[in-house]
Amino acid sequence: MNDFNKFLKTELNEQQRKAVKQKKGATLVVAGAGSGKTRVITARMANLILNENVDPRSIIALTFTNKAAGEMRERLTNFLKSKHTLPFVGTFHSYCLLLLKTNPQIIPFPTFSIIDSDDQQSLIKKILKKNGLEKQFSASAIQHQISFIKNKTHINSADEFTQPIVKELYLEYESAKSRSHCLDFDDLLLCVLQAFEKNEEFKQKYQQRVRNVLVDEYQDTNKVQHALLKNMALNSKKKFNIDTLCAVGDEDQSIYSWRGAVVTNMLQFQKDFKPVKLIKIEQNYRSVNPILQAANAVISNNKMRHPKDLWSTKKAKNRILALNCKSDYQETDAITTLIKSYPKEKKLNNVAIIYRTHFQSRLIEESFIRNSIGYKIVGGIRFYERKEIKDLLAYLRLVVNPFDKASLIRILNTPARGLGAKFEEELFFEWERNKLFDFKQILLYLMPKQTNIKAQAINDFIKIFSNLKKEQKTSFVIDKIIEKTSYLNFLRKAYDPSEYDTKSQNIEELLRSIHFFESNKNKLNTNPEDPFYNQNIEKNVETFLHEVSLMQEKIKQNEDKSDQVQMMTMHAAKGLEFDMVIICGLEEGILPSSRSLNTNQDLEEERRLFYVGVTRAKERLVLTHANYRNTYGQISDQITSRFLTEIPSKLFQYLDISQTHPLQIQSVVSDWLGTRNARGKLLTFNTAKPVSSRSKQKTFKAKTVNKFFATNATQWKKNQAVVHKKFGAGLVTKVEQKRADEYFLTVLFKTGEKRVLSSFIKRI
């Protein structure tokens, strides 16, 4: 028995082997999260070559990222041991580019160039400027619309545009590309598809040569890619016309509809390529069983899917914890407590905090910074380093310090004012000669030397800062800046809709932080031992910026930490795995998002996002939600996410901490993580199921708190929160009776454990 056949026998389960060995016709492999689908698709190619004697040149495997293609090629090379040439393994776009290069007769011009995203935007900007529309539309938004429509349909794409003016821009864009013999990335697929549909000779020759087609991540295909596959595998009479076709995917992980992915392609596959052999791979090699059962329960509420149930041989108990928090700030504190209580011998790199949208990271980041916890934003950047946040902070800094050259240069042309690099160079030169001038004085000094248009732009810029002072409330100043600069309108024009949504949400979160800063008794931080703390603080622009600067400085101190908590959105989490996952913000309007509540299709995608988040967890899963959140100084009541209520109560421990002291939360969290065994036995959790009704939650709240932390009027308890005049707050770890009404209490204070008389202690 050769090495590969030994691998098939010992390393694959029964369903995986079925998928690998299926010999003829079309096969749809529904492979759940963590079920080893990449292993299956590469082993299937190796089996065709090694055991079925198929010519590698007759095999192609298509996927969505170069990274995935590289991993598949590496595994295939290990199977083949350099004895065979490799089949083509690559992305849809790279394969179509290869077909166009090797079949120049199928495109209108013999030689062509490919324009990337930046080139596309430059071309669209020229078209907008030519038609006097540069202020009405952004190149990014038009580019997004064009790409979305082209990936949605390949026949008469122009008819899909609902706005006549956008349709005209599209036609002019296509004409300009054609005159320059250029193709964009979408054209690579469309040109090949049109060749298949219009050139029968090309199609027949192709199908004679390529007899085996495999597609990975089929749930992420769009309409054009599905149409391509039909033309690769079916003849002109829609009959199956190659040896094998195998698509591997999981519609429960289809989360990219915003870029054209069509979840129903998985269901349509069985109709278009019938008869189709359906194989389900349900054994999961990543997660413990309770986490998989929770994921199964939630996703079963979706209709657009092939039913399946993930399972694992990894048995476990008490691995899912749900926390009901009073507010978003308590939620953040609870997450920080979880991280600080995580076993010291384990790496924080194996802990992930997952949220629905980028703006949710801000509170958690600030808490981690204050507590010196290293963190990394996966697939994104830190809150205070995001462009829109840095822009607005630069405006604020110029209010506080009118000599701040770096801030002036950052915002002088943001939004664009026609004051380009040449003017900046002149500005720097003159400022060096007139060092005592502030930014207004140097701009006024330069204004007479400029054209009328530039002089007006300078004057308009200076007006933004009129009547704005560093002693004023930050909320007043930032509102005026956003209004006077039309900053949100600038973002709307500069970015496609999804990017604009993200950036505007980040700005809303910045405004929330400012309002909280102004309404809080002290600063954003209320820990007296922290250097950020100050009892008597003026709530103005200057002090807010000082706090932000201190946080940014502390970020730099933590940057070098190799062991960092991973933070990411649910989209960024796909394909990753962690020992412990914390999913926060499980509330209606956040997860599921408010934009998804209007249609079942959008709601199902939100549920798939949650499913993806849950199935990232290998050992432990924490789900958090808040009763209310702070919105511009106002309290906004939150409703528990329906996704949390869809998990059977027997699968998780539900803890209401909304009225609970932080030290009690630390005790409970440590017990759940198994990191407090030395100081007391583990607590038993209440498993009552959360409900989405706020009134019912309040009824449940008192019952839960009483079960965990009830105190007796005449008796002290372990895990009881107390306070000492000298040592501060603490947690009782041991009770020893001295006489009828007196006890020796061993209490865990911040400075360590101490044994004190109960008469010197007060209950919290």
Side-chain angles (χ1 to χ4, degrees), residues 14 50 90 119 147 164 167 172 176 204 235-236 280-281 295 317 327 398 432 458 586 588 595 629-630 655 659 743:
E14 183 181 353
L50 296 174
D119 294 331
S147 181
K167 176 180 177 179
E172 190 166 348
Q204 288 179 2
N235 62 23
S236 56
K280 296 181 184 180
I281 303 178
K317 292 182 180 179
S327 67
L398 214 51
E432 282 299 310
I458 292 170
L586 271 169
E588 296 288 303
R595 295 190 301 275
R629 292 185 181 270
N630 284 287
L655 177 60
Q659 303 296 328
Y743 295 83

mmCIF file of all heavy atoms in Angstrom, residues 14 50 90 119 147 164 167 172 176 204 235-236 280-281 295 317 327 398 432 458 586 588 595 629-630 655 659 743:
data_model
loop_
_atom_site.group_PDB
_atom_site.id
_atom_site.type_symbol
_atom_site.label_atom_id
_atom_site.label_comp_id
_atom_site.label_asym_id
_atom_site.label_seq_id
_atom_site.Cartn_x
_atom_site.Cartn_y
_atom_site.Cartn_z
ATOM 1 N N GLU A 14 -15.194 8.184 6.975
ATOM 2 C CA GLU A 14 -15.936 7.508 5.907
ATOM 3 C C GLU A 14 -16.513 8.488 4.890
ATOM 4 O O GLU A 14 -16.429 8.274 3.675
ATOM 5 C CB GLU A 14 -17.067 6.674 6.518
ATOM 6 C CG GLU A 14 -17.851 5.870 5.484
ATOM 7 C CD GLU A 14 -18.974 5.070 6.115
ATOM 8 O OE1 GLU A 14 -19.059 5.029 7.350
ATOM 9 O OE2 GLU A 14 -19.780 4.495 5.351
ATOM 10 N N LEU A 50 -3.342 9.593 -8.926
ATOM 11 C CA LEU A 50 -2.586 8.416 -8.489
ATOM 12 C C LEU A 50 -3.354 7.104 -8.651
ATOM 13 O O LEU A 50 -2.754 6.072 -8.981
ATOM 14 C CB LEU A 50 -2.167 8.592 -7.023
ATOM 15 C CG LEU A 50 -1.209 9.757 -6.725
ATOM 16 C CD1 LEU A 50 -0.999 9.903 -5.224
ATOM 17 C CD2 LEU A 50 0.132 9.548 -7.433
ATOM 18 N N GLY A 90 -5.928 27.488 -8.694
ATOM 19 C CA GLY A 90 -5.853 28.943 -8.563
ATOM 20 C C GLY A 90 -7.226 29.571 -8.457
ATOM 21 O O GLY A 90 -8.249 28.886 -8.389
ATOM 22 N N ASP A 119 -6.462 52.033 -10.856
ATOM 23 C CA ASP A 119 -6.599 52.489 -12.243
ATOM 24 C C ASP A 119 -8.066 52.725 -12.599
ATOM 25 O O ASP A 119 -8.408 53.687 -13.296
ATOM 26 C CB ASP A 119 -5.997 51.467 -13.208
ATOM 27 C CG ASP A 119 -4.489 51.326 -13.058
ATOM 28 O OD1 ASP A 119 -3.855 52.321 -12.657
ATOM 29 O OD2 ASP A 119 -3.962 50.235 -13.319
ATOM 30 N N SER A 147 -19.005 47.206 -10.471
ATOM 31 C CA SER A 147 -18.526 45.847 -10.185
ATOM 32 C C SER A 147 -19.660 44.958 -9.687
ATOM 33 O O SER A 147 -19.782 43.797 -10.099
ATOM 34 C CB SER A 147 -17.406 45.904 -9.142
ATOM 35 O OG SER A 147 -16.913 44.615 -8.875
ATOM 36 N N PRO A 164 -30.411 56.452 -14.514
ATOM 37 C CA PRO A 164 -29.958 56.681 -15.899
ATOM 38 C C PRO A 164 -28.573 57.295 -15.990
ATOM 39 O O PRO A 164 -27.776 56.919 -16.853
ATOM 40 C CB PRO A 164 -31.029 57.641 -16.453
ATOM 41 C CG PRO A 164 -32.242 57.376 -15.632
ATOM 42 C CD PRO A 164 -31.733 57.040 -14.262
ATOM 43 N N LYS A 167 -25.966 54.729 -15.382
ATOM 44 C CA LYS A 167 -25.897 53.876 -16.573
ATOM 45 C C LYS A 167 -25.023 54.520 -17.649
ATOM 46 O O LYS A 167 -24.193 53.858 -18.279
ATOM 47 C CB LYS A 167 -27.304 53.621 -17.111
ATOM 48 C CG LYS A 167 -27.346 52.815 -18.409
ATOM 49 C CD LYS A 167 -28.772 52.607 -18.877
ATOM 50 C CE LYS A 167 -28.822 51.875 -20.203
ATOM 51 N NZ LYS A 167 -30.216 51.646 -20.656
ATOM 52 N N GLU A 172 -19.820 54.877 -20.657
ATOM 53 C CA GLU A 172 -18.629 55.643 -21.022
ATOM 54 C C GLU A 172 -17.371 54.981 -20.470
ATOM 55 O O GLU A 172 -16.319 54.964 -21.124
ATOM 56 C CB GLU A 172 -18.756 57.076 -20.520
ATOM 57 C CG GLU A 172 -17.669 57.990 -21.060
ATOM 58 C CD GLU A 172 -17.952 59.471 -20.850
ATOM 59 O OE1 GLU A 172 -19.096 59.825 -20.485
ATOM 60 O OE2 GLU A 172 -17.021 60.274 -21.047
ATOM 61 N N ALA A 176 -14.297 53.642 -22.745
ATOM 62 C CA ALA A 176 -12.915 54.113 -22.534
ATOM 63 C C ALA A 176 -11.961 52.935 -22.359
ATOM 64 O O ALA A 176 -10.838 52.945 -22.887
ATOM 65 C CB ALA A 176 -12.860 55.032 -21.317
ATOM 66 N N GLN A 204 -16.323 23.411 -27.160
ATOM 67 C CA GLN A 204 -16.106 21.978 -27.399
ATOM 68 C C GLN A 204 -14.646 21.591 -27.183
ATOM 69 O O GLN A 204 -14.350 20.560 -26.559
ATOM 70 C CB GLN A 204 -16.549 21.614 -28.821
ATOM 71 C CG GLN A 204 -18.054 21.626 -29.020
ATOM 72 C CD GLN A 204 -18.448 21.285 -30.440
ATOM 73 O OE1 GLN A 204 -17.603 21.004 -31.297
ATOM 74 N NE2 GLN A 204 -19.754 21.306 -30.719
ATOM 75 N N ASN A 235 -22.906 20.722 -22.092
ATOM 76 C CA ASN A 235 -22.860 21.031 -23.524
ATOM 77 C C ASN A 235 -23.973 22.005 -23.893
ATOM 78 O O ASN A 235 -24.717 22.477 -23.035
ATOM 79 C CB ASN A 235 -22.915 19.754 -24.361
ATOM 80 C CG ASN A 235 -24.211 18.977 -24.137
ATOM 81 O OD1 ASN A 235 -25.235 19.535 -23.721
ATOM 82 N ND2 ASN A 235 -24.183 17.683 -24.425
ATOM 83 N N SER A 236 -24.112 22.285 -25.174
ATOM 84 C CA SER A 236 -25.100 23.267 -25.623
ATOM 85 C C SER A 236 -26.528 22.833 -25.328
ATOM 86 O O SER A 236 -27.441 23.662 -25.300
ATOM 87 C CB SER A 236 -24.935 23.534 -27.121
ATOM 88 O OG SER A 236 -25.031 22.308 -27.847
ATOM 89 N N LYS A 280 -22.473 14.689 2.643
ATOM 90 C CA LYS A 280 -22.350 15.606 3.774
ATOM 91 C C LYS A 280 -21.194 15.170 4.678
ATOM 92 O O LYS A 280 -21.117 14.003 5.063
ATOM 93 C CB LYS A 280 -23.647 15.652 4.585
ATOM 94 C CG LYS A 280 -24.834 16.206 3.823
ATOM 95 C CD LYS A 280 -26.075 16.228 4.710
ATOM 96 C CE LYS A 280 -27.298 16.702 3.931
ATOM 97 N NZ LYS A 280 -28.507 16.727 4.786
ATOM 98 N N ILE A 281 -20.328 16.110 4.991
ATOM 99 C CA ILE A 281 -19.232 15.844 5.920
ATOM 100 C C ILE A 281 -19.532 16.626 7.189
ATOM 101 O O ILE A 281 -19.416 17.855 7.225
ATOM 102 C CB ILE A 281 -17.876 16.259 5.327
ATOM 103 C CG1 ILE A 281 -17.640 15.540 3.996
ATOM 104 C CG2 ILE A 281 -16.749 15.956 6.299
ATOM 105 C CD1 ILE A 281 -16.346 15.920 3.311
ATOM 106 N N ALA A 295 -24.207 25.738 17.754
ATOM 107 C CA ALA A 295 -24.167 26.237 16.373
ATOM 108 C C ALA A 295 -25.257 25.574 15.531
ATOM 109 O O ALA A 295 -25.944 26.242 14.745
ATOM 110 C CB ALA A 295 -22.786 25.979 15.768
ATOM 111 N N LYS A 317 -18.175 19.555 29.085
ATOM 112 C CA LYS A 317 -19.314 20.147 29.787
ATOM 113 C C LYS A 317 -18.963 21.578 30.198
ATOM 114 O O LYS A 317 -17.802 21.926 30.375
ATOM 115 C CB LYS A 317 -19.660 19.324 31.034
ATOM 116 C CG LYS A 317 -20.226 17.947 30.732
ATOM 117 C CD LYS A 317 -20.588 17.222 32.027
ATOM 118 C CE LYS A 317 -21.170 15.839 31.739
ATOM 119 N NZ LYS A 317 -21.513 15.120 33.000
ATOM 120 N N SER A 327 -24.675 47.315 31.116
ATOM 121 C CA SER A 327 -24.404 48.312 30.080
ATOM 122 C C SER A 327 -23.245 47.854 29.214
ATOM 123 O O SER A 327 -22.595 46.847 29.498
ATOM 124 C CB SER A 327 -24.052 49.652 30.727
ATOM 125 O OG SER A 327 -22.804 49.545 31.406
ATOM 126 N N LEU A 398 -5.777 71.157 16.190
ATOM 127 C CA LEU A 398 -5.484 72.490 15.671
ATOM 128 C C LEU A 398 -6.244 73.562 16.454
ATOM 129 O O LEU A 398 -5.773 74.699 16.575
ATOM 130 C CB LEU A 398 -5.845 72.556 14.185
ATOM 131 C CG LEU A 398 -4.953 73.451 13.299
ATOM 132 C CD1 LEU A 398 -3.483 73.136 13.497
ATOM 133 C CD2 LEU A 398 -5.341 73.309 11.841
ATOM 134 N N GLU A 432 8.643 78.322 8.104
ATOM 135 C CA GLU A 432 9.991 78.278 8.668
ATOM 136 C C GLU A 432 10.577 79.690 8.779
ATOM 137 O O GLU A 432 11.338 79.993 9.694
ATOM 138 C CB GLU A 432 10.899 77.404 7.790
ATOM 139 C CG GLU A 432 10.705 75.906 7.998
ATOM 140 C CD GLU A 432 11.019 75.489 9.413
ATOM 141 O OE1 GLU A 432 12.101 75.844 9.938
ATOM 142 O OE2 GLU A 432 10.157 74.812 10.031
ATOM 143 N N ILE A 458 -8.692 78.857 1.084
ATOM 144 C CA ILE A 458 -7.982 79.165 2.333
ATOM 145 C C ILE A 458 -8.906 79.882 3.307
ATOM 146 O O ILE A 458 -8.963 79.565 4.499
ATOM 147 C CB ILE A 458 -6.731 80.025 2.044
ATOM 148 C CG1 ILE A 458 -5.697 79.203 1.266
ATOM 149 C CG2 ILE A 458 -6.120 80.557 3.342
ATOM 150 C CD1 ILE A 458 -4.540 80.029 0.716
ATOM 151 N N LEU A 586 -24.499 40.889 21.591
ATOM 152 C CA LEU A 586 -25.582 40.040 21.091
ATOM 153 C C LEU A 586 -26.934 40.692 21.401
ATOM 154 O O LEU A 586 -27.641 40.277 22.319
ATOM 155 C CB LEU A 586 -25.481 38.645 21.715
ATOM 156 C CG LEU A 586 -24.616 37.666 20.930
ATOM 157 C CD1 LEU A 586 -24.348 36.419 21.744
ATOM 158 C CD2 LEU A 586 -25.290 37.287 19.621
ATOM 159 N N GLU A 588 -30.446 42.802 19.405
ATOM 160 C CA GLU A 588 -31.156 43.170 18.187
ATOM 161 C C GLU A 588 -30.700 44.564 17.748
ATOM 162 O O GLU A 588 -30.650 45.493 18.546
ATOM 163 C CB GLU A 588 -32.661 43.171 18.430
ATOM 164 C CG GLU A 588 -33.242 41.810 18.783
ATOM 165 C CD GLU A 588 -33.288 40.854 17.599
ATOM 166 O OE1 GLU A 588 -33.905 41.203 16.586
ATOM 167 O OE2 GLU A 588 -32.704 39.757 17.711
ATOM 168 N N ARG A 595 -29.885 46.812 9.753
ATOM 169 C CA ARG A 595 -30.180 46.812 8.315
ATOM 170 C C ARG A 595 -30.687 45.465 7.821
ATOM 171 O O ARG A 595 -31.167 45.354 6.698
ATOM 172 C CB ARG A 595 -28.923 47.202 7.520
ATOM 173 C CG ARG A 595 -28.458 48.616 7.757
ATOM 174 C CD ARG A 595 -27.361 49.006 6.774
ATOM 175 N NE ARG A 595 -26.210 48.128 6.885
ATOM 176 C CZ ARG A 595 -25.233 48.303 7.771
ATOM 177 N NH1 ARG A 595 -25.293 49.298 8.635
ATOM 178 N NH2 ARG A 595 -24.204 47.479 7.810
ATOM 179 N N ARG A 629 -27.185 50.652 26.231
ATOM 180 C CA ARG A 629 -25.939 51.235 25.735
ATOM 181 C C ARG A 629 -26.052 52.749 25.748
ATOM 182 O O ARG A 629 -27.142 53.302 25.621
ATOM 183 C CB ARG A 629 -25.623 50.743 24.312
ATOM 184 C CG ARG A 629 -25.281 49.262 24.289
ATOM 185 C CD ARG A 629 -24.846 48.732 22.944
ATOM 186 N NE ARG A 629 -24.587 47.304 23.080
ATOM 187 C CZ ARG A 629 -23.414 46.769 23.398
ATOM 188 N NH1 ARG A 629 -22.374 47.560 23.568
ATOM 189 N NH2 ARG A 629 -23.275 45.477 23.534
ATOM 190 N N ASN A 630 -24.900 53.388 25.910
ATOM 191 C CA ASN A 630 -24.868 54.852 25.911
ATOM 192 C C ASN A 630 -24.796 55.361 24.478
ATOM 193 O O ASN A 630 -23.900 54.974 23.722
ATOM 194 C CB ASN A 630 -23.649 55.358 26.692
ATOM 195 C CG ASN A 630 -23.851 55.239 28.182
ATOM 196 O OD1 ASN A 630 -24.613 55.992 28.770
ATOM 197 N ND2 ASN A 630 -23.186 54.270 28.801
ATOM 198 N N LEU A 655 -25.600 33.813 33.056
ATOM 199 C CA LEU A 655 -25.330 34.557 34.277
ATOM 200 C C LEU A 655 -25.692 36.027 34.108
ATOM 201 O O LEU A 655 -25.170 36.715 33.230
ATOM 202 C CB LEU A 655 -23.850 34.429 34.647
ATOM 203 C CG LEU A 655 -23.389 35.227 35.870
ATOM 204 C CD1 LEU A 655 -24.157 34.804 37.111
ATOM 205 C CD2 LEU A 655 -21.897 35.034 36.081
ATOM 206 N N GLN A 659 -26.308 43.389 38.258
ATOM 207 C CA GLN A 659 -26.309 43.998 39.597
ATOM 208 C C GLN A 659 -25.187 43.415 40.463
ATOM 209 O O GLN A 659 -25.280 43.399 41.685
ATOM 210 C CB GLN A 659 -27.665 43.746 40.279
ATOM 211 C CG GLN A 659 -28.865 44.251 39.500
ATOM 212 C CD GLN A 659 -28.863 45.763 39.350
ATOM 213 O OE1 GLN A 659 -28.378 46.475 40.220
ATOM 214 N NE2 GLN A 659 -29.393 46.246 38.237
ATOM 215 N N TYR A 743 -16.426 36.620 63.586
ATOM 216 C CA TYR A 743 -15.760 35.684 62.686
ATOM 217 C C TYR A 743 -14.380 36.208 62.311
ATOM 218 O O TYR A 743 -14.135 37.413 62.294
ATOM 219 C CB TYR A 743 -16.577 35.506 61.390
ATOM 220 C CG TYR A 743 -17.931 34.870 61.591
ATOM 221 C CD1 TYR A 743 -19.021 35.632 61.994
ATOM 222 C CD2 TYR A 743 -18.109 33.510 61.374
ATOM 223 C CE1 TYR A 743 -20.262 35.056 62.185
ATOM 224 C CE2 TYR A 743 -19.356 32.924 61.554
ATOM 225 C CZ TYR A 743 -20.426 33.693 61.957
ATOM 226 O OH TYR A 743 -21.652 33.107 62.135
#
